[in-house]
Amino acid sequence: FDSARRIHLPPQKRLIGVLFRDNALFPHMTVQQNIAAGVRKRTERGRITTEKLRQFGLEAVAEQYPRTLSPLQRQRTALARLLASDPEAILLDDPFQGLSLYEKTPLEEELTEFLHDYGGAVIWASRDRGEVYRNCRYACVS
């Protein structure tokens, strides 16, 4: 949004992916539908959705609704939806809050691996300094 230049893009056109700490999944949609909702190119929707289901190990729960998922499965779904949108920038808002160390570790490793090759900007907000030091080149502490 830029009022001076009269720019107001709806969220789906902003090319910024946001991973909220509460994952913000659509409760009336299945895992598969939630991921598909993030895909920008309609002609690629099926392929990308299938790819993200496989990448995040969600094939077995693809037809389930968020309320039936574990916290880890919900966060994996939210991350898959974010990455399915092919964002130019990513904002991670305390992405592992509410996950046990057992749940957090593999998801953090997968996200770190993805971000290693990601060419866009990433802002990672976290209360866990160790998480920040492991995953970020620069840190701003407040």
Side-chain angles (χ1 to χ4, degrees):
F1 178 79
D2 185 335
S3 62
R5 293 178 16 199
R6 296 180 183 251
I7 297 173
H8 178 65
L9 291 176
Q12 60 272 30
K13 292 190 177 187
R14 292 183 188 165
L15 302 178
I16 296 175
V18 181
L19 184 62
F20 297 100
R21 73 181 68 138
D22 69 351
N23 47 60
L25 296 175
F26 300 116
H28 63 288
M29 292 182 172
T30 64
V31 167
Q32 183 172 348
Q33 291 167 333
N34 265 281
I35 295 169
V39 181
R40 295 181 197 281
K41 298 177 186 174
R42 290 184 182 195
T43 59
E44 298 287 318
R45 188 165 283 153
R47 182 187 64 76
I48 292 172
T49 300
T50 301
E51 176 185 304
K52 295 304 173 196
L53 284 166
R54 185 174 44 256
Q55 180 181 356
F56 289 95
L58 296 166
E59 301 103 318
V61 296
E63 297 303 319
Q64 291 185 24
Y65 291 90
R67 68 183 174 278
T68 68
L69 303 174
S70 71
L72 178 59
Q73 290 168 326
R74 285 194 296 269
Q75 200 64 337
R76 283 182 177 280
T77 302
L79 185 56
R81 181 180 63 191
L82 179 152
L83 299 179
S85 72
D86 193 26
E88 291 182 3
I90 296 174
L91 171 60
L92 302 170
D93 180 15
D94 227 345
F96 307 123
Q97 182 183 5
L99 298 179
S100 69
L101 184 59
Y102 175 78
E103 294 170 321
K104 172 184 170 177
T105 302
L107 187 58
E108 183 178 343
E109 289 172 359
E110 291 169 27
L111 181 58
T112 300
E113 184 178 315
F114 168 79
L115 293 177
H116 183 266
D117 297 324
Y118 178 69
V122 178
I123 297 174
W124 190 318
S126 177
R127 295 181 181 119
D128 182 341
R129 286 189 182 187
E131 182 180 296
V132 171
Y133 293 139
R134 285 190 302 275
N135 297 295
C136 304
R137 276 187 268 165
Y138 306 102
C140 179
V141 179
S142 70

